Amino acid sequence: MAVIQKHGKNSSPDLAFHKENLQPDNIGAPGCHKKWPDAHSNWPRPVARIWTVVLLLGTCLLYCARVAMPICAVSMAEKFSWTKRESGMVLGSFFWGYCFTQVFGGYVSDRVGGEKVLLLSAAAWGSMTAFTPILGHLCSQPIFSMTLARFLMGLLQGVHYPSLASLCSQKVVESERGFLMSTVGSGSYLGTLVIGGVGSLMLDLYGWESVFYVSGLLSVLWAYCMWKYLLNGEGPIITLESLGNGGTQSKRSKRHWGRLLKQPAVCAVIVTHLCTASTFFTLLSWLPTFFKDTFPDAKGWVFNVIPWLVAIPSSLFSGCLSDHLICQGFDTTSVRKLMQFFSMGVSSVFTVLLCGNTTFPWAVAFVSATMGLTTFSHSGVSLNVQDLAPSCAGALFGIMNTCGAFSGVLMVYFSGYLIEATGSWGSMFALITTVNLMGLFTFLAFAEARRVDIESSRVRHNSIHI
């Protein structure tokens, strides 16, 4: 691993010249220059820690609301007399909405601030979650109202992760991004555990409606507290002027996206994230069935809970390790590649071990190791997009996540075909390993951590803060 002096990559003569000589002007839309983060736009460490906890809780509630429908699917199918196909249509409609707003959410966040988009979307999807049971009981055709509600949930929640990426790139210094993103990312595993345990208990005691009411209202309460105490009650107004005027960001978006997407490093993060998301979705979808088919007498809570319990501290550790290495002076590119090597390379070793005959305890251990190591991508490719293009990290992450979601669904279907055609679970694990290694080799070969969004802006605009 290459070692450099601390912050050495930020002290090149070229950048130093622009730090000293470029001064902001007031041309363009009000606030159009603030999306280029400078030293004064970053959160102080105490503020960053508060936001980390708040965003962790928000991501946890995001998954509580998202998983409420799958948790209640069986009870709702009995209530409304749905077939398996109809239940699948309701559950699958979330995906289509989720894909459509990724890029848009990131683009708006880059322009007006990720915190505003997070606040508005959380209030909306929280309200939609709480209102879902009412829609089911009032509508004469619950299958249509529930499918629509699930689709809208996908639309509203699709902006969450791109907004996080945009917010982190604008407000968090490079040496602390790993901890924030890995901690916030662990909220997805925590939310899955919470809704799986507490939600199942509420389902048995109070009915399926209670799961939606509680998770939805808590999400709205989270949005209110964020608005009241972190944003000081300021209205999260997103105006057409802020989105459409010809400021610096608007000109970049129109003229230089083609150049940006032709950069090898940018293509590498898109391909790598696509591979990471595909394998994760496949494992998430098929692992419960794998355990039930291979170990029919095993207790479900063991293989449904233990891997997620391992994933939470693993995600936190990866973020701390990443930030520590960067603070010690290690090259950022090398650190990102190391994290991704653990996520896709080392985890593949344990995935391969699942191809052979194994006992239930060893299978749980291998799956837990795989899921735990996969979380290292929070400090790898997921952060690399912020290194490459902090001015448009939200939109670029939206492109990555859209590609990953589409490819994930395709790989889940293809894995089912392989399992049925070969009669072996080993074929699925071999496919996962192959896709992981393809993504890893792409990242190791082409990934960089230098800014690729700065050259054209430096030449054409004189209102940039670096």
Side-chain angles (χ1 to χ4, degrees):
M1 180 180 296
V3 181
I4 63 171
Q5 294 182 349
K6 290 185 181 180
H7 314 298
K9 62 182 178 305
N10 291 331
S11 58
S12 66
D14 195 18
L15 291 183
F17 171 83
H18 288 277
K19 286 181 181 180
E20 295 172 1
N21 294 283
L22 292 185
Q23 298 297 328
D25 58 27
N26 296 321
I27 299 174
C32 67
H33 61 276
K34 73 177 181 179
K35 298 310 168 200
W36 295 84
D38 60 12
H40 300 289
S41 68
N42 292 325
W43 288 324
R45 178 168 293 184
V47 176
R49 292 294 181 258
I50 294 174
W51 273 96
T52 300
V53 175
V54 171
L55 295 175
L56 166 65
L57 181 59
T59 304
C60 176
L61 290 171
L62 177 93
Y63 268 77
C64 287
R66 181 180 301 184
V67 182
M69 183 72 78
I71 289 290
C72 301
V74 175
S75 298
M76 296 176 70
E78 294 177 354
K79 170 69 176 179
F80 300 121
S81 302
W82 291 344
T83 63
K84 293 290 185 183
R85 183 177 180 179
E86 290 173 330
S87 296
M89 181 176 69
V90 173
L91 294 174
S93 59
F94 175 89
F95 156 76
W96 299 109
Y98 188 71
C99 289
F100 289 149
T101 52
Q102 295 280 332
V103 179
F104 175 76
Y107 171 79
V108 175
S109 298
D110 291 335
R111 301 297 305 282
V112 303
E115 67 278 8
K116 292 183 178 180
V117 179
L118 286 170
L119 172 60
L120 291 174
S121 65
W125 56 255
S127 301
M128 175 60 66
T129 302
F131 196 61
T132 296
I134 300 175
L135 281 176
H137 289 299
L138 291 181
C139 185
S140 59
Q141 296 292 332
I143 183 67
F144 296 117
S145 62
M146 293 297 96
T147 300
L148 177 61
R150 192 69 178 160
F151 175 79
L152 292 176
M153 276 288 292
L155 282 176
L156 296 170
Q157 290 198 350
V159 305
H160 185 83
Y161 282 104
S163 299
L164 282 178
S166 178
L167 182 62
C168 184
S169 69
Q170 295 170 14
K171 296 295 186 180
V172 184
V173 296
E174 182 185 69
S175 61
E176 297 181 1
R177 290 175 184 169
F179 176 78
L180 185 143
M181 291 301 290
S182 61
T183 301
V184 174
S186 67
S188 61
Y189 315 123
L190 179 62
T192 303
L193 283 174
V194 169
I195 196 65
V198 179
S200 298
L201 183 63
M202 293 174 57
L203 177 65
D204 294 336
L205 294 179
Y206 306 109
W208 64 270
E209 295 92 344
S210 63
V211 181
F212 288 93
Y213 290 142
V214 172
S215 58
L217 292 176
L218 285 177
S219 301
V220 173
L221 178 61
W222 174 83
Y224 173 78
C225 292
M226 176 181 169
W227 169 75
K228 181 70 174 178
Y229 299 107
L230 290 185
L231 300 182
N232 299 319
E234 296 179 0
I237 304 301
I238 299 177
T239 64
L240 292 177
E241 182 183 16
S242 65
L243 293 178
N245 267 356
T248 300
Q249 181 79 12
S250 178
K251 293 179 181 178
R252 286 199 69 267
S253 299
K254 294 176 181 178
R255 298 177 182 178
H256 303 296
W257 267 103
R259 182 196 63 82
L260 191 65
L261 293 176
K262 290 179 181 178
Q263 295 286 334
V266 174
C267 294
V269 297
I270 294 175
V271 171
T272 305
H273 186 79
L274 182 151
C275 294
T276 300
S278 298
T279 55
F280 179 78
F281 286 150
T282 302
L283 288 171
L284 189 67
S285 300
W286 285 110
L287 279 178
T289 307
F290 162 74
F291 277 108
K292 289 180 181 179
D293 288 353
T294 310
F295 310 102
D297 297 329
K299 295 184 181 296
W301 69 267
V302 176
F303 56 79
N304 283 328
V305 172
I306 291 180
W308 303 113
L309 290 177
V310 173
I312 294 174
S314 176
S315 179
L316 297 175
F317 173 74
S318 70
C320 293
L321 177 61
S322 171
D323 289 349
H324 175 73
L325 291 175
I326 293 176
C327 287
Q328 292 299 311
F330 286 91
D331 178 39
T332 303
T333 302
S334 300
V335 174
R336 302 293 184 240
K337 290 181 177 181
L338 177 64
M339 296 297 105
Q340 206 60 33
F341 173 76
F342 279 108
S343 175
M344 306 183 82
V346 180
S347 68
S348 295
V349 174
F350 295 97
T351 306
V352 170
L353 294 175
L354 289 167
C355 294
N357 294 326
T358 183
T359 62
F360 176 69
W362 279 112
V364 173
F366 293 153
V367 168
S368 299
T370 298
M371 300 304 291
L373 288 166
T374 298
T375 65
F376 276 62
S377 65
H378 292 314
S379 302
V381 66
S382 296
L383 278 183
N384 191 220
V385 66
Q386 301 174 30
D387 302 324
L388 295 172
S391 66
C392 52
L396 187 54
F397 191 87
I399 294 174
M400 292 165 50
N401 231 21
T402 300
C403 295
F406 274 116
S407 62
V409 170
L410 294 177
M411 188 165 167
V412 168
Y413 282 124
F414 184 65
S415 297
Y417 168 78
L418 278 181
I419 296 168
E420 186 174 345
T422 63
S424 170
W425 286 95
S427 60
M428 183 194 75
F429 294 124
L431 174 64
I432 290 173
T433 301
T434 302
V435 173
N436 264 339
L437 294 180
M438 288 174 55
L440 176 61
F441 291 149
T442 301
F443 195 75
L444 293 179
F446 299 106
E448 299 179 18
R450 63 178 179 87
R451 287 188 65 168
V452 298
D453 63 340
I454 195 172
E455 180 180 356
S456 61
S457 301
R458 189 172 60 222
V459 172
R460 296 176 181 269
H461 304 289
N462 63 355
S463 60
I464 300 174
H465 289 196
I466 301 177

